[in-house]
Amino acid sequence: MASGLKKVALVAGAARGIGLAAATRFLADGWHVAMLDILGDTLRATVDALDRTEATLALEADVSDPESVQAAVEQVRRQFGRIDALVNNAGIAVFKPLLDVTLEEWQRVLAVNLTGPFLMTQAVAPIMRDQGSGAIVNITSISGLRASTLRVAYGTSKAGLAHLTRQQAAELGEYGIRVNAVAPGPVDTAMAKAVHTPAIRADYHDHIPLNRYGLERELANAICFLCGDQAEYITGQVLAVDGGFDAAGVGLPTLRGERRNE
């Protein structure tokens, strides 16, 4: 890349939460950022609040719609001339018992969480191929690495995304494109605050070795690392950013209770 030419990141699901944190971190690192979300009004308000007109682009699009995706990616190419990083963060969840999930809910979750990253990568990868380099980070979830209740569609979609990450890495590496995934554990996002009751939060704290929820900026740090030059020989990996949640098994709450009673 020519000296002085700004790198460009395309972040899907960027209106709030982890996507916004990643976009903000890219901007702080001197990148230009195209921010895509289906929540158009929220996205535009977010981009306006960033007050970085020359470095940002707001794109209202549904990642599960091929035409919408292609149009958005083409707009990024016209605006900035290149795409160096793609962050597939757009996602939805349905929290219901397995027997209560409707076919429509199942299909919509898989369409956004799994088909979305497939379509986004298909649209962006040719641009990266022609550049000779690029980095893609898919946002999976700890729910895709270990099963839990009320997450049959969400967890399955994220498990599929973890394998899609490896498949993309295997096939796109020859073009200089790296593909990795970040699997967040419990994070203090608006979604978590809305659906995690105090009892659920206490359960998570009991089972996380670091004994707290993650912060959006901590996820952004991992995402931007994987998109940057310091990760130039890392591809096909799923990095759990979860305070040790996936590493821990049964017994941690009991052990902590015994220590408190010593």
Side-chain angles (χ1 to χ4, degrees), residues 19 24 42 49 69 107 205 209 220:
T24 302
T42 303
V69 166
Q107 290 175 329
H205 276 259

Side-chain angles (χ1 to χ4, degrees), residues 26-190:
F26 278 121
L27 287 169
D29 288 348
W31 293 51
H32 286 162
V33 184
M35 300 171 64
L36 182 152
D37 208 290
I38 197 171
L39 302 174
D41 291 342
T42 303
L43 174 67
R44 285 183 285 273
T46 296
V47 173
D48 287 345
L50 289 172
D51 195 24
R52 294 288 304 278
T53 305
E54 80 292 346
T56 55
L57 175 65
L59 302 162
E60 182 178 354
D62 180 349
V63 296
S64 70
D65 177 62
E67 292 183 0
S68 183
V69 166
Q70 288 289 345
V73 170
E74 177 58 24
Q75 191 174 347
V76 179
R77 189 195 63 76
R78 289 197 306 268
Q79 177 80 10
F80 293 128
R82 60 186 299 114
I83 301 176
D84 299 281
L86 167 65
V87 180
N88 284 313
N89 174 67
I92 59 173
V94 173
F95 297 107
K96 285 185 175 181
L98 183 151
L99 298 181
D100 294 339
V101 175
T102 68
L103 176 60
E104 291 75 18
E105 289 169 335
W106 168 269
Q107 290 175 329
R108 181 59 182 164
V109 170
L110 266 68
V112 174
N113 295 1
L114 186 55
T115 302
F118 167 76
L119 293 173
M120 291 291 296
T121 299
Q122 276 204 325
V124 169
I127 297 173
M128 293 180 170
R129 177 196 60 200
D130 293 345
Q131 294 168 182
S133 65
I136 299 170
V137 175
N138 296 321
I139 308 304
T140 60
S141 171
I142 209 67
S143 295
L145 302 179
R146 56 188 294 179
S148 181
T149 55
L150 308 181
R151 289 165 173 79
V152 62
Y154 181 75
T156 302
S157 70
K158 294 299 188 177
L161 184 55
H163 186 76
L164 178 62
T165 297
R166 299 182 182 98
Q167 192 70 46
Q168 291 169 335
E171 297 198 28
L172 297 177
E174 64 180 297
Y175 304 124
I177 302 171
R178 299 183 296 102
V179 189
N180 294 287
V182 168
V187 181
D188 258 333
T189 61

